[in-house]
Amino acid sequence: MIFRRSLFAAAALAAFAFSTTAKAEPMRIAYLSPSFDISDAWERVFWAMQGRLEELGVDFEVQSLAVASHVDHAGQLAQVETVIAGGVDYVFLGPTEYEAAIPALRKLKQAGIPTVVYNFATPHEDESARAMSYIAFSHYPGGVKSGEWAAEYLNGKGKVLLLRGAPGVISDDRGGGFISVVEKYPDIEIVMGPYTDFDRAKAYDAAQNMLAAHPDINLIYGMSTTIGLGAGQVVRQMGKSEEIATMGFGGTGDEIIAMKEGWLTASVLRPIDDSGVAVADAFVAHSKGEEVPLVWGGSFVMVDRWTDADEIVEYANRYSKPKMGR
């Protein structure tokens, strides 16, 4: 689908606005995300990027594409090939997986299309596959913050289930950061659960099966919004939301609602719109011949069901909030 925003001129933003004579055609952007239902973070970044471009007075078009599964690497490569054939000025690529994105990135670079890789903060070592910029909330520090919260919540004692996403960097880092903290506590036992492909239904089934096998679980760490919500729904249906803590990752809108309703316990929150702004700023800077940072990284805030998170949530979703639900 194509989204279009018209050029508007506001006196307060005149310093940022583009000249219509300098660039008569709209900036053409392809937005590729790794799943239809990985979390509302992808939709929020989508709207935040556009909100920032509007704010800067940029005339643009966005072509939005997504693969059906977070592990559909071949499908995403095919979408990239379609985008290249159609012709765009910039590509936002949310890879299905870090290494799996290399063939697509090589093709984009060969085609001369500047690309932002989203959700990964480490530039690819292969120069032929290195993107213009990497924008992400680094997964390992988020895992560390989650582990610190879990260890404190459990008072250093309990049984923790880890539910992973898909094989690759994201699960490794979110899990590794968490484990690096809780493994320091000899009275915390870690149970490694299966990969769920960042799919809510698969996370629900995995949580159900693991709780049947380990009924003494005290806390479930789900390594994404969808995993945390899937696990939280199982615990809620068991009537044990007060006994078994559940954690997500990202602090997106659905997670905040679940925490307010009492059936998700905690999540590490990303001020998600900050990253959408960083994407838009990278495209605009490049179009003006300015330097684009190779890496942008955001900071996390830990929130739980007892946190008064209204202010940070309002800030985190300042661009995307009016757009969600359209």
Side-chain angles (χ1 to χ4, degrees):
M1 49 185 168
I2 300 290
F3 293 80
R4 182 76 179 268
R5 294 293 176 269
S6 298
L7 183 69
F8 68 95
L13 297 172
F16 302 103
F18 271 26
S19 166
T20 55
T21 59
K23 188 172 179 65
E25 295 299 320
M27 179 186 289
R28 300 168 302 162
I29 300 167
Y31 185 99
L32 289 83
S33 63
S35 173
F36 288 117
D37 182 30
I38 190 168
S39 76
D40 66 7
W42 292 99
E43 187 175 359
R44 289 191 183 280
V45 173
F46 177 75
W47 290 117
M49 176 190 73
Q50 294 182 77
R52 177 60 169 171
L53 291 171
E54 289 176 341
E55 186 178 64
L56 297 180
V58 179
D59 188 18
F60 65 92
E61 296 176 352
V62 180
Q63 178 184 9
S64 178
L65 298 168
V67 288
S69 167
H70 195 62
V71 293
D72 186 5
H73 311 312
Q76 187 167 78
L77 177 59
Q79 289 182 344
V80 167
E81 291 170 341
T82 298
V83 164
I84 292 171
V88 293
D89 299 310
Y90 296 98
V91 166
F92 169 109
L93 180 63
T96 52
E97 205 281 315
Y98 179 78
E99 295 291 341
I102 289 176
L105 288 170
R106 284 179 179 153
K107 287 179 180 290
L108 287 164
K109 198 154 193 176
Q110 289 170 359
I113 302 175
T115 300
V116 165
V117 167
Y118 184 82
N119 209 29
F120 293 96
T122 303
H124 288 83
E125 291 185 5
D126 183 350
E127 180 63 33
S128 69
R130 187 172 299 165
M132 172 179 70
S133 187
Y134 292 76
I135 292 173
F137 291 86
S138 295
H139 306 289
Y140 193 91
V144 169
K145 276 191 175 291
S146 299
E148 290 171 345
W149 185 93
E152 182 177 354
Y153 175 83
L154 294 170
N155 292 317
K157 184 177 182 179
K159 193 169 184 177
V160 177
L161 168 63
L162 273 63
L163 291 180
R164 294 172 285 182
V169 172
I170 295 177
S171 290
D172 290 347
D173 283 359
R174 292 182 181 180
F178 185 93
I179 291 171
S180 73
V181 176
V182 299
E183 68 180 359
K184 298 175 183 177
Y185 296 83
D187 292 329
I188 293 181
E189 179 184 353
I190 299 172
V191 178
M192 194 64 69
Y195 289 106
T196 63
D197 297 338
F198 295 107
D199 181 273
R200 190 178 304 196
K202 290 181 180 179
Y204 179 95
D205 291 341
Q208 199 169 46
N209 292 335
M210 293 301 292
L211 285 170
H214 302 273
D216 55 343
I217 291 290
N218 303 112
L219 182 147
I220 302 174
Y221 171 48
M223 297 184 194
S224 75
T225 294
T226 48
I227 300 171
L229 293 176
Q233 287 174 332
V234 172
V235 174
R236 182 188 197 183
Q237 290 172 4
M238 294 171 63
K240 293 189 175 183
S241 296
E242 298 296 331
E243 301 169 40
I244 303 173
T246 51
M247 301 179 68
F249 193 106
T252 59
D254 288 346
E255 288 174 277
I256 297 299
I257 292 170
M259 280 186 270
K260 287 184 175 181
E261 293 177 350
W263 57 275
L264 185 72
T265 314
S267 181
V268 62
L269 182 147
R270 301 166 289 195
I272 196 69
D273 284 13
D274 284 356
S275 56
V277 169
V279 173
D281 287 352
F283 292 155
V284 171
H286 181 272
S287 70
K288 297 167 73 174
E290 299 173 355
E291 184 178 356
V292 178
L294 181 59
V295 177
W296 177 95
S299 300
F300 292 94
V301 179
M302 198 69 212
V303 297
D304 57 37
R305 56 187 288 194
W306 302 282
T307 302
D308 182 2
D310 288 347
E311 186 173 343
I312 183 60
V313 169
E314 182 71 23
Y315 170 79
N317 305 146
R318 63 197 184 279
Y319 289 94
S320 61
K321 182 180 179 181
K323 308 293 186 180
M324 293 291 286
R326 281 191 177 185

